[in-house]
């Protein structure tokens, strides 16, 4: 757990981990509402149409109106479904999204805890998210929902393998499984410059894990009506909606942390002067969030630009393209690290 704390005008001393945890939870909660609004505005610009502009100034209160609508809608449960599991399933993706806050470094010494196996923790939490989608499809007792849940399970398992190999190459470069040490190792050179193939593989896998277009086969309305959440309504449907945008945000956070320098500016170790802890903390968080916002924009941009794949194309890309490429990339990075260690 990070040491030290923040002294607010000599009146209140807050431990660093408490401040970071509060910042993380607040950011995670608001990321969904902000991303919903951003997606509608950006989609309007891309498609040359008007986005939300009725509720509040420039439509800023539209996400609030959506939440109120979902809260007031009737919560319908299938009479032949498995009610307990049907009620629990929407909570699982949201819960797993919150768990990632604990190991993400927002800046130098700005993290909740630093565990030796932070990368393994992230992979384990990511794999838990599929249970919510799969159980939602199975417990609804609907063939469309079940097919959506099975698609989600197959897709997430398929893309977790190349994602894991891409992260293994990052671990080789950093020499540690700690998220904090991986972020710190990019002070002089970002991993995207050392490991560009791994970065591309991880970004594609992050899109697939978030079930975003062009990988949204789990909820393809043309053949599955709505997919795994067909039988959900009201706020339970809203939980899945919330989880999707939270995972977009988390995907952006992980791309930033693993490949794009985390809270470091480009080549910061060479030119950034010494700063006070407070100024350094503000700069780190600002740089980190600016990168995350950029990648959230990329998620939205891709959704409204690239059409949905066919399911056989999704599986072929994962198993026949990305997985062999990720293994080859891992071997190349390992060979490069061996050569660098022994010859230079």
């Amino acid at each position: 757990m990070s040491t030290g704390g923040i002294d607010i005008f000599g009146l209140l001393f807050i431990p660093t981990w408490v401040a970071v945890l509060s910042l993380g939870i607040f950011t995670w909660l608001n990321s969904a509402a902000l991303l919903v609004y951003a997606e509608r505005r950006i989609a309007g610009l891309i498609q040359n149409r008007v986005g939300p502009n009725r509720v509040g100034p420039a439509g800023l209160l539209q996400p609030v109106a959506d939440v109120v609508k979902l809260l007031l809608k009737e919560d319908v449960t299938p009479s032949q479904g498995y009610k307990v599991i049907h009620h629990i399933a929407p909570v699982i993706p949201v819960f797993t999204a919150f768990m990632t806050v604990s190991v993400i470094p927002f800046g130098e010494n700005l993290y909740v805890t630093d565990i030796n196996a932070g990368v393994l923790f992230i992979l384990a939490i990511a794999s838990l998210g599929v249970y919510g989608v799969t159980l939602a499809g199975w417990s609804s007792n609907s063939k469309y929902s079940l097919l959506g849940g099975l698609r989600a399970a197959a897709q997430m398992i398929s893309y977790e393998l190349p994602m894991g190999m891409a992260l293994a190459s990052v671990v080789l470069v950093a020499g540690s499984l700690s998220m904090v040490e991986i972020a710190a190792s990019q002070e002089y050179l970002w991993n995207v410059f050392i490991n560009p193939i791994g970065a591309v593989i991880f970004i594609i896998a992050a899109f697939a894990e978030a079930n975003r277009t062009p990988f949204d086969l789990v909820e393809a309305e043309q053949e599955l009506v709505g997919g795994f959440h067909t039988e959900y309504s009201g706020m339970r449907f809203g939980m899945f909606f919330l989880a999707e945008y939270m995972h977009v945000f988390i995907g952006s956070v992980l791309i930033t942390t693993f490949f794009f320098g985390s809270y470091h500016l480009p080549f910061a170790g060479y030119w950034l002067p010494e700063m006070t802890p407070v100024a350094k903390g503000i700069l780190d968080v600002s740089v980190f969030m600016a990168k995350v916002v950029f990648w959230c924009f990329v998620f939205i941009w891709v959704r409204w630009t690239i059409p949905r794949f066919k399911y056989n194309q999704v599986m072929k890309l994962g198993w026949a393209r990305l997985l062999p490429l990720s293994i080859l990339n891992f071997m190349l990075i390992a060979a490069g690290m061996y050569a660098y260690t022994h010859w230079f």
Side-chain angles (χ1 to χ4, degrees), residues 63-180:
V64 178
D66 292 339
V67 171
V68 173
K69 179 190 70 173
L70 289 171
L71 288 171
L72 295 177
K73 288 184 71 173
E74 182 182 4
D75 183 13
V76 180
T77 303
S79 59
Q80 301 300 315
Y82 302 90
K83 292 182 173 58
V84 175
I85 298 177
H86 190 269
H87 292 163
I88 294 174
V91 181
I92 297 175
V94 177
F95 180 72
T96 57
F98 276 121
M99 291 177 69
T100 60
V101 176
S102 58
V103 295
I104 299 296
F106 290 86
E108 187 176 349
N109 297 322
L110 292 176
Y111 51 87
V112 177
T113 184
D114 179 19
I115 58 177
N116 294 331
V119 174
L120 297 181
F121 177 81
I122 290 291
L123 290 174
I125 294 303
S127 65
L128 288 177
V130 69
Y131 285 99
V133 176
T134 307
L135 290 175
W138 176 73
S139 64
S140 296
N141 197 25
S142 163
K143 61 183 179 181
Y144 298 112
S145 300
L146 179 61
L147 285 172
L150 293 175
R151 282 186 177 187
Q155 180 172 307
M156 290 185 178
I157 291 171
S158 300
Y159 283 86
E160 279 174 3
L161 294 174
M163 174 182 280
M165 291 304 299
L167 291 184
S169 63
V170 172
V171 170
L172 278 179
V173 174
S176 173
L177 286 165
S178 165
M179 298 286 288
V180 174

Side-chain angles (χ1 to χ4, degrees), residues 237-256:
F237 168 78
M239 295 286 279
F240 284 118
F241 199 64
L242 171 68
E244 177 182 335
Y245 282 96
M246 289 177 70
H247 281 91
V248 168
F249 185 80
I250 292 169
S252 302
V253 166
L254 296 181
I255 291 169
T256 298

Side-chain angles (χ1 to χ4, degrees), residues 32-84:
L34 294 174
L35 280 171
V36 169
Y37 177 78
E39 176 141 47
R40 289 178 172 179
R41 298 298 294 184
I42 294 169
L45 292 172
I46 291 174
Q47 299 180 333
N48 195 26
R49 60 181 174 81
V50 178
N53 62 350
R54 300 290 184 183
V55 187
L60 284 170
L61 297 180
Q62 186 65 52
V64 178
D66 292 339
V67 171
V68 173
K69 179 190 70 173
L70 289 171
L71 288 171
L72 295 177
K73 288 184 71 173
E74 182 182 4
D75 183 13
V76 180
T77 303
S79 59
Q80 301 300 315
Y82 302 90
K83 292 182 173 58
V84 175

Side-chain angles (χ1 to χ4, degrees), residues 161-332:
L161 294 174
M163 174 182 280
M165 291 304 299
L167 291 184
S169 63
V170 172
V171 170
L172 278 179
V173 174
S176 173
L177 286 165
S178 165
M179 298 286 288
V180 174
E181 293 187 21
I182 288 173
S185 69
Q186 300 178 74
E187 182 179 5
Y188 293 92
L189 189 64
W190 293 357
N191 283 334
V192 68
F193 300 117
I194 303 172
N195 188 7
I197 297 176
V200 172
I201 293 171
F202 186 87
I203 291 168
I204 295 173
F207 273 88
E209 289 287 306
N211 293 328
R212 296 278 294 182
T213 307
F215 297 97
D216 61 337
L217 274 300
V218 302
E219 51 190 47
E221 66 275 6
Q222 289 91 339
E223 63 263 30
L224 295 183
V225 183
F228 63 91
H229 54 61
T230 298
E231 304 298 332
Y232 281 87
S233 61
M235 201 56 205
R236 298 192 193 279
F237 168 78
M239 295 286 279
F240 284 118
F241 199 64
L242 171 68
E244 177 182 335
Y245 282 96
M246 289 177 70
H247 281 91
V248 168
F249 185 80
I250 292 169
S252 302
V253 166
L254 296 181
I255 291 169
T256 298
T257 302
F258 287 124
F259 291 98
F260 286 85
S262 187
Y263 51 86
H264 295 295
L265 289 166
F267 311 105
Y270 293 109
W271 60 269
L272 193 66
E274 289 291 331
M275 305 175 68
T276 63
V278 174
K280 185 67 166 61
I282 294 173
L283 177 64
D284 287 348
V285 173
S286 300
V287 170
F288 183 83
M289 292 308 301
K291 294 177 184 177
V292 171
V293 168
F294 169 77
W295 281 108
C296 288
F297 168 76
V298 172
F299 269 88
I300 296 171
W301 184 14
V302 169
R303 175 178 180 177
W304 298 100
T305 305
I306 301 178
R308 179 183 294 146
F309 295 153
K310 294 189 294 183
Y311 199 71
N312 65 312
Q313 292 174 325
V314 170
M315 291 293 105
K316 185 176 181 179
L317 177 63
W319 289 100
R321 300 291 187 271
L322 292 186
L323 182 58
L325 183 61
S326 64
I327 296 172
L328 176 62
N329 179 66
F330 177 81
M331 296 171 65
L332 291 174

